[in-house]
Amino acid sequence: MQAVQIPQRMNLPQVAPKVFSAMLALDAAARQGLDQTLIDLVQIRASQINKCAYCLDYHIADARKAGETEDRIYQLSAWEDAGLYTARERAALALTEAMTLLPGGVSDEVYDEAARHFDEAELAQLIALIATINAWNRLNVTTRKTPGTA
């Protein structure tokens, strides 16, 4: 079987280094105070929804290095029907989906459930994390950043 080569459209860090640096700073700030396991799950789930091959490759590798189980990675796209995630993780994943699929909005029910599991500062960080991974997804999908590249 021969894989199809998908050409990268642009090397954004090279063409717009200030934008790339600002995104890295935003990414680092958004992660502050959040558990790495939760960060990995949110980043993978948003990247699944947005079909960002580069981010899926990158964040799944990070999750594995951090000790995430294969079952939890495989079942993440069906997290609502999988009993592998904590109530806190499920609340974060529901908020991730609502923010990623924004035309449907973020319902009071989804927001309130997240607020039950995260204090206000953590919730602000989670919202920033979700916004940041969605921005990364959009940049990488648009430029066709090649999975497996730095």
Side-chain angles (χ1 to χ4, degrees), residues 90-134:
R90 295 172 73 79
L93 292 168
L95 185 60
T96 300
E97 289 191 5
M99 285 181 64
T100 301
L101 302 168
L102 200 50
V106 177
S107 71
D108 289 341
E109 179 183 48
V110 167
Y111 185 89
D112 292 345
E113 182 64 13
R116 281 185 353 94
H117 294 278
F118 297 88
D119 67 32
E120 191 172 39
E122 290 174 319
L123 186 56
Q125 291 301 127
L126 178 59
I127 291 167
L129 177 73
I130 296 165
T132 304
I133 188 57
N134 274 281

Side-chain angles (χ1 to χ4, degrees), residues 8 10-21 136 140 143 145 150:
Q8 186 167 308
M10 173 191 302
N11 183 335
L12 187 73
Q14 183 178 45
V15 176
K18 288 183 180 178
V19 171
F20 187 73
S21 292
W136 279 123
N140 290 330
T143 63
K145 183 141 178 83

